[in-house]
């Protein structure tokens, strides 16, 4: 086993600490960059109730959750989306 000097050990510890601090910031920034392409709920007047028969579950942008009644996501609007919600980005699915 190779002996490590105190100086080498401190340099290695400093590098590991720096990576541990910076890595979460980098991954968070990438995740936020993906969300930044989406509109906020307020900007599209999102509501949890349908507008007549127009609702998120019938929208081309809606990505369903694991169950039909579970919240899903949207290709246009950030955050969790109710299948019974509605917003101005509503686009009926093609028949």
């Amino acid at each position: 086993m190779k002996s490590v000097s105190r100086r080498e050990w401190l340099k290695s510890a400093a590098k590991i600490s720096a990576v541990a601090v910076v890595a979460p910031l980098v991954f968070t920034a990438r995740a936020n960059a993906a969300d930044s392409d989406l509109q906020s709920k307020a900007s599209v007047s999102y509501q949890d109730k349908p507008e007549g028969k127009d609702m998120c579950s019938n929208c081309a942008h809606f990505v369903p959750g694991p169950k039909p009644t579970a919240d899903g996501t949207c290709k246009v609007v950030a955050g969790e989306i109710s299948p019974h919600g509605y917003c101005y980005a509503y686009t009926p699915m093609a028949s």
Side-chain angles (χ1 to χ4, degrees):
M1 188 167 152
K2 179 183 172 189
S3 80
V4 179
S5 71
R6 181 178 176 187
R7 180 177 293 186
E8 290 172 341
W9 185 86
L10 288 172
K11 283 182 179 179
S12 295
K15 289 177 185 176
I16 291 170
S17 297
V19 168
V21 169
V22 172
L25 299 174
V26 170
F27 291 114
T28 301
R30 286 184 183 170
N32 289 341
D35 285 344
S36 68
D37 294 340
L38 301 177
Q39 300 292 318
S40 70
K41 289 181 177 181
S43 70
V44 292
S45 299
Y46 173 82
Q47 57 192 30
D48 288 326
K49 296 181 180 179
E51 182 77 23
K53 292 183 179 181
D54 295 343
M55 63 180 84
C56 295
S57 62
N58 299 328
C59 180
H61 303 301
F62 184 68
V63 180
K67 295 181 180 179
T69 57
D71 287 352
T73 58
C74 180
K75 298 174 187 174
V76 177
V77 182
E80 290 186 356
I81 304 296
S82 168
H84 301 291
Y86 173 80
C87 78
Y88 291 139
Y90 174 79
T91 305
M93 282 194 246
S95 299

